[in-house]
Amino acid sequence: FLDDLRRGVWRDPAAGAAVDPYRRALQRAWLDRVGTLMTEEPPAPTAGGPGGGGGSTPPPPVLSRSDIRPLLRAQLEEVRRQAQAGAERTGDRVTRAHLADVAHRITVLLDPSR
């Protein structure tokens, strides 16, 4: 699923094609959501809300103990590799800046000390 989603959102940035403003916004939204999943835990359910009060909805998984973060890390590393290659190949100035920014944001997300 994560591979399919990544391919749909990012297509192939390494190809060097220009990225239109709508796709750049979609890509930033993907990166924001993945960043949240990598760094934050979902809130605990409240007694009256979903998953609370003895209802049938299970509580959200504890992300730090699940496989989601290692899988997302692999997705981020692949997107970073493709973004770096695409930034070098594209002739479009805005796309080059976008892909360089994406690669930088992923580097900071994966290694906050940088």
Side-chain angles (χ1 to χ4, degrees), residues 6-13 19-34 79 95 98-99 102 105:
R6 177 183 40 82
R7 282 191 293 267
V9 171
W10 293 96
R11 292 191 183 152
D12 186 7
V19 180
D20 69 65
Y22 300 105
R23 183 151 302 268
R24 289 193 307 268
L26 174 65
Q27 291 169 346
R28 285 188 205 101
W30 180 92
L31 190 54
D32 288 344
R33 183 64 185 136
V34 170
V79 169
T95 297
H98 167 68
L99 294 175
V102 164
R105 288 176 62 186

Side-chain angles (χ1 to χ4, degrees), residues 18-109:
V19 180
D20 69 65
Y22 300 105
R23 183 151 302 268
R24 289 193 307 268
L26 174 65
Q27 291 169 346
R28 285 188 205 101
W30 180 92
L31 190 54
D32 288 344
R33 183 64 185 136
V34 170
T36 298
L37 289 170
M38 290 292 290
T39 59
E40 298 176 18
E41 289 293 334
T46 60
S56 62
T57 304
V62 177
L63 295 180
S64 62
R65 287 186 260 157
S66 75
D67 289 329
I68 190 68
R69 287 187 175 153
L71 293 169
L72 289 174
R73 179 176 299 278
Q75 295 296 312
L76 287 165
E77 289 171 349
E78 177 65 18
V79 169
R80 178 175 54 186
R81 184 189 63 73
Q82 289 185 350
Q84 289 168 333
E88 294 174 5
R89 287 192 180 110
T90 188
D92 181 63
R93 181 177 172 195
V94 175
T95 297
R96 184 173 35 255
H98 167 68
L99 294 175
D101 179 62
V102 164
H104 174 74
R105 288 176 62 186
I106 291 172
T107 297
V108 170
L109 182 63

